[in-house]
Amino acid sequence: MNELEKRLKKELQQNIQVKIVSSTAWTIPLHTIEVEYKPVKRIKMDVLMKMMLITCQKAKLTSAKQISELLLVEQLFMEDLINIMKRTRLIEIKDQVFALTEKGFSQLEDGIFEEELDARSQNLLYSPSHCTFLQGEIKPALDGEETLDLYRHASEKKARLKWEDVVLVDALQANGMETVDGDLQTVVSEIVSNSELYVDDVPCFEFILYNKSEDLLYARVWNTFLDRWDEVLENELNEKERVAWRETYLNLEK
């Protein structure tokens, strides 16, 4: 921690008009949330599949052999396609006749074939201090971080461990759980469940700076999880504490 703090101080003091009037370190909580979801594979419907759905829509057919003869396609190949369309619930058998389901009508109209995949799970990282999910990986602990206190404003923001599905889908998208490969898309269709696994403490370095030429006090906060200056925490400190800093630190400049 000491080496990182020294590097940050050196960076901040490159402007000779700026002086560090206070520095400290603390931690913010980062909640690991396991999200189980169902993905769907989407691909542009091929001509044969369209022809088969249209055929089942307009003609009363009872066997793969009939469809094979009508479309001039090998029967074994047609049987495989029928099994796929039954499994994906695009067609069903009504009164011994192949018929389109509501899902089959919809996908035929859109020209997109959708296939549900097995449920998957992904860990997401939620920061109450940012009121959002953050991207990244938990880093190894820094020397001495176990002695740091919790961020003084962290208690004002309780972790909300219940989210609307759309929020979790957006977080999964941001973490690359939805992909596009040419005409093939894999998207999140449903959130099955979510649960908290554990909470990590993320060290942050806080510096209060005074720019003499501008007569301005302001905060800089280095977030070790994001590995960059954290504008969210800086803005919060500036908004809540700047008046108190002027009363506390400007006496040092007189």
Side-chain angles (χ1 to χ4, degrees):
M1 284 183 61
N2 290 336
E3 290 301 316
L4 176 57
E5 185 176 14
K6 288 178 183 178
R7 179 175 67 80
L8 296 173
K9 285 183 176 180
K10 184 177 180 181
E11 177 182 338
L12 293 171
Q13 291 177 313
Q14 289 180 351
N15 185 342
I16 61 174
Q17 295 295 327
V18 172
K19 178 178 180 180
I20 298 174
V21 297
S22 175
S23 65
T24 187
W26 29 260
T27 64
I28 57 172
L30 198 59
H31 298 250
T32 296
I33 311 299
E34 183 180 42
V35 179
E36 185 179 4
Y37 65 97
K38 289 183 179 179
V40 165
K41 181 173 67 176
R42 291 178 178 169
I43 192 168
K44 187 176 180 180
M45 192 174 288
D46 61 37
V47 174
L48 180 58
M49 185 174 287
K50 285 184 178 180
M51 290 174 61
M52 180 176 170
L53 288 173
I54 293 172
T55 300
C56 291
Q57 181 182 13
K58 295 185 175 181
K60 293 183 178 180
L61 303 171
T62 60
S63 69
K65 181 179 180 181
Q66 288 179 318
I67 300 175
S68 173
E69 292 174 349
L70 187 62
L71 298 181
L72 301 178
V73 177
E74 185 178 345
Q75 184 174 335
L76 287 176
F77 185 78
M78 188 54 63
E79 288 175 350
D80 288 340
L81 185 56
I82 289 173
N83 288 334
I84 290 173
M85 299 179 79
K86 282 182 178 178
R87 175 168 51 81
T88 55
R89 299 189 299 279
L90 298 186
I91 62 173
E92 59 185 351
I93 298 177
K94 284 187 174 180
D95 299 325
Q96 298 183 334
V97 174
F98 289 112
L100 268 66
T101 63
E102 183 178 343
K103 182 179 178 181
F105 277 109
S106 176
Q107 292 194 22
L108 176 60
E109 183 177 355
D110 294 339
I112 300 296
F113 172 61
E114 294 187 354
E115 182 178 6
E116 294 181 1
L117 303 176
D118 293 336
R120 302 174 183 174
S121 64
Q122 174 69 24
N123 289 349
L124 300 177
L125 300 171
Y126 180 76
S127 169
S129 297
H130 297 76
C131 297
T132 191
F133 290 92
L134 302 181
Q135 296 181 51
E137 296 182 359
I138 301 294
K139 298 177 177 62
L142 297 174
D143 293 337
E145 75 171 57
E146 68 279 356
T147 64
L148 299 179
D149 292 329
L150 183 67
Y151 176 44
R152 54 191 175 278
H153 297 299
S155 60
E156 301 171 10
K157 300 174 181 178
K158 303 296 183 183
R160 299 176 182 178
L161 300 181
K162 292 184 179 180
W163 300 272
E164 295 181 0
D165 286 355
V166 65
V167 175
L168 296 174
V169 170
D170 286 345
L172 289 169
Q173 289 175 340
N175 278 266
M177 295 303 104
E178 294 194 339
T179 60
V180 178
D181 183 9
D183 290 334
L184 176 63
Q185 290 181 305
T186 302
V187 300
V188 177
S189 67
E190 179 185 349
I191 300 297
V192 178
S193 65
N194 69 87
S195 58
E196 181 178 1
L197 298 182
Y198 42 81
V199 181
D200 287 284
D201 295 323
V202 175
C204 295
F205 292 89
E206 172 194 331
F207 304 93
I208 308 302
L209 308 177
Y210 179 62
N211 187 313
K212 189 172 184 179
S213 63
E214 298 179 7
D215 188 28
L216 179 65
L217 283 158
Y218 58 97
R220 299 305 309 272
V221 176
W222 183 268
N223 185 320
T224 61
F225 173 76
L226 299 176
D227 201 27
R228 60 173 171 79
W229 298 108
D230 192 323
E231 293 184 1
V232 172
L233 298 177
E234 291 171 354
N235 291 337
E236 180 175 49
L237 289 170
N238 288 334
E239 179 182 346
K240 293 183 176 181
E241 300 185 11
R242 182 172 272 159
V243 173
W245 294 338
R246 182 161 290 274
E247 295 176 358
T248 301
Y249 300 122
L250 285 196
N251 291 329
L252 302 175
E253 301 299 316
K254 296 179 179 179

